[in-house]
């Protein structure tokens, strides 16, 4: 079984560059593979232009994430309102990015321009994006509009968005030829969905089938539970259940607020889980970054590669 994870909300504002360096060093040393997002405009401006010392140090770490086994998703530019790239600031009183991905009237060209601008900012800052994460938001405006969209039958993201990602992958703007995306998750229904493809290129919704028990975005000690993943005796937990059920992967998600080694209440649990996996599941699981999973799935047109790893 493949093991991987997504870490959302990664930015120097949550925990400094040093914390991200510690995280990357740990993953590299333990052979852990996964993903951590980079939100380049989270400070209200693009950190790829005139970065502060902290932002510069953070970008240097993001640039070495790949060699440490960690993918980099754009969790869109701000995780809030749409960004004005000409003015280098977040626009005022505009739709939030996550909601905008669901607005039915947005065109492929509009998505492609916006995503392309973020990829270009990444290039400016030495960051190569591998995939895409939907930024969830429960603000009043988003909640109201999501409800309206659902009521009118728009439960899924605008399909034009997947096409825009595919077009950019074909232009070589992403690191690889397949683009893993993280939108929804489900412990029971978590699976992979091909959203757009053309020859060697593909865009996939690679759903986590395990949740965040590393403190979530609240950095809340009551939301920390390593046993959820694997118990100390290695006999239960969701990893073990997915393994016993013959699932091709167990992918969980986390948030940098809880996971970061500087202040995150979930960090000791993360290292505990990694140690338990090492101790109990050796030979039965293989860590893999999300973009490797979608590359191999796309090349094999299914999960047949998992048995032969
Ligand atoms: Zn919102």
């Amino acid at each position: 079984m493949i093991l991987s994870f997504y870490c959302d909300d990664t930015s120097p504002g949550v925990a400094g560059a040093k914390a991200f360096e510690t995280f990357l060093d740990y993953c590299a040393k333990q052979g852990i593979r996964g993903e951590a997002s980079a939100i380049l405009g989270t400070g209200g401006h693009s950190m790829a232009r005139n970065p502060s010392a902290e932002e510069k140090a953070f970008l240097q770490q993001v640039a070495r994430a790949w060699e440490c086994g960690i993918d980099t998703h754009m969790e869109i530019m701000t995780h809030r309102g749409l960004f004005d790239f000409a003015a280098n600031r977040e626009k005022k009183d505009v739709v939030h990015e996550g909601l905008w991905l669901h607005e039915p009237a947005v065109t492929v060209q509009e998505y492609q321009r916006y995503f392309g601008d973020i990829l270009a900012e990444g290039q400016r800052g030495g960051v190569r994006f591998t995939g895409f994460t939907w930024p969830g938001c429960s603000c009043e405006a988003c909640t109201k509009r999501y409800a309206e969209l659902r009521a009118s039958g728009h439960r899924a993201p605008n399909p034009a968005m997947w096409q825009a990602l595919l077009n950019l992958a074909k232009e070589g703007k992403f690191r690889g030829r397949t683009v893993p995306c993280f939108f929804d998750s489900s412990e029971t229904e978590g699976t992979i969905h091909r959203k757009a493809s053309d020859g060697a290129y593909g865009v996939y919704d690679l759903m986590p089938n395990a949740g965040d028990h590393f403190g979530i975005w609240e950095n809340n000690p009551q939301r920390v539970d390593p046993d959820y993943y694997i118990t100390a005796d290695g006999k239960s937990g969701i990893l073990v259940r997915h393994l016993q059920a013959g699932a091709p992967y167990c992918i969980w998600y986390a948030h940098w607020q809880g996971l970061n080694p500087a202040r995150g209440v979930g960090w000791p649990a993360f290292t505990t889980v990694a140690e338990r996996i090492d101790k109990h599941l050796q030979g039965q699981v293989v860590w893999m970054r999300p973009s490797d999973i979608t590359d191999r799935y796309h090349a094999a047109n299914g999960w047949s590669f998992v048995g032969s790893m």
Side-chain angles (χ1 to χ4, degrees):
M1 184 175 73
I2 296 164
L3 289 182
S4 198
F5 66 93
Y6 298 112
C7 181
D8 287 359
D9 300 349
T10 321
S11 73
V14 171
K18 185 69 196 159
F20 197 49
E21 181 178 9
T22 303
F23 165 77
L24 292 176
D25 287 347
Y26 181 79
C27 291
K29 185 162 163 280
Q30 301 291 322
I32 292 168
R33 302 281 180 267
E35 183 275 340
S37 60
I39 310 169
L40 297 177
T42 188
H45 58 274
S46 171
M47 71 173 88
R49 305 185 210 176
N50 304 317
S52 68
E54 191 63 41
E55 288 172 339
K56 193 172 175 188
F58 179 76
L59 283 175
Q60 282 168 353
Q61 293 306 317
V62 178
R64 68 182 273 268
W66 172 264
E67 70 197 49
C68 297
I70 301 299
D71 275 357
T72 307
H73 280 201
M74 58 165 80
E75 200 174 345
I76 289 293
M77 187 67 187
T78 67
H79 201 306
R80 291 184 304 269
L82 290 175
F83 195 76
D84 182 337
F85 288 88
N88 188 26
R89 60 172 142 71
E90 189 177 331
K91 294 177 186 174
K92 284 199 169 68
D93 304 318
V94 285
V95 61
H96 285 177
E97 292 175 321
L99 176 61
W100 183 65
L101 301 172
H102 290 71
E103 283 294 351
V106 185
T107 64
V108 174
Q109 289 72 23
E110 287 172 292
Y111 283 130
Q112 201 169 323
R113 192 177 318 123
Y114 195 74
F115 301 163
D117 282 341
I118 299 171
L119 290 160
E121 285 303 315
Q123 204 164 29
R124 196 192 295 247
V127 174
R128 293 198 71 191
F129 288 104
T130 59
F132 189 99
T133 291
W134 168 66
C137 182
S138 54
C139 80
E140 209 180 312
C142 285
T143 304
K144 184 165 170 274
R145 181 62 183 149
Y146 275 124
E148 283 172 9
L149 287 171
R150 272 198 306 277
S152 61
H154 292 101
R155 291 172 178 278
N158 180 340
M161 188 209 72
W162 307 115
Q163 185 61 43
L165 291 172
L166 180 68
N167 292 349
L168 290 160
K170 286 165 73 177
E171 288 175 11
K173 304 290 190 187
F174 282 94
R175 186 181 278 271
R177 291 191 291 191
T178 66
V179 181
C181 302
F182 168 27
F183 277 71
D184 282 331
S185 72
S186 165
E187 289 181 3
T188 50
E189 313 281 325
T191 187
I192 191 167
H193 297 282
R194 179 182 290 132
K195 292 298 188 181
S197 72
D198 185 4
Y201 298 90
V203 177
Y204 287 90
D205 184 8
L206 179 57
M207 287 175 74
N209 53 4
D212 180 357
H213 291 250
F214 293 124
I216 70 167
W217 60 90
E218 298 167 351
N219 196 23
N220 180 350
Q222 293 181 332
R223 302 296 295 268
V224 176
D225 181 15
D227 293 353
Y228 164 81
Y229 300 94
I230 179 168
T231 50
D233 63 6
K235 291 201 166 98
S236 54
I238 195 159
L239 266 73
V240 180
R241 288 208 303 282
H242 281 318
L243 187 63
Q244 287 168 349
Y249 66 73
C250 181
I251 300 176
W252 64 80
Y253 64 95
H255 294 81
W256 189 234
Q257 293 91 337
L259 194 70
N260 78 80
R263 294 189 280 281
V265 294
W267 178 249
F270 181 80
T271 60
T272 296
V273 167
E275 285 160 20
R276 289 178 184 173
I277 289 167
D278 237 19
K279 186 174 173 193
H280 297 291
L281 303 182
Q282 255 189 39
Q284 302 177 76
V285 293
V286 54
W287 287 97
M288 202 176 279
R289 53 174 114 237
S291 63
D292 273 344
I293 300 174
T294 53
D295 274 354
R296 293 190 192 210
Y297 183 91
H298 190 73
N301 196 24
W303 292 116
S304 57
F305 69 94
V306 179
S308 54
M309 283 183 307

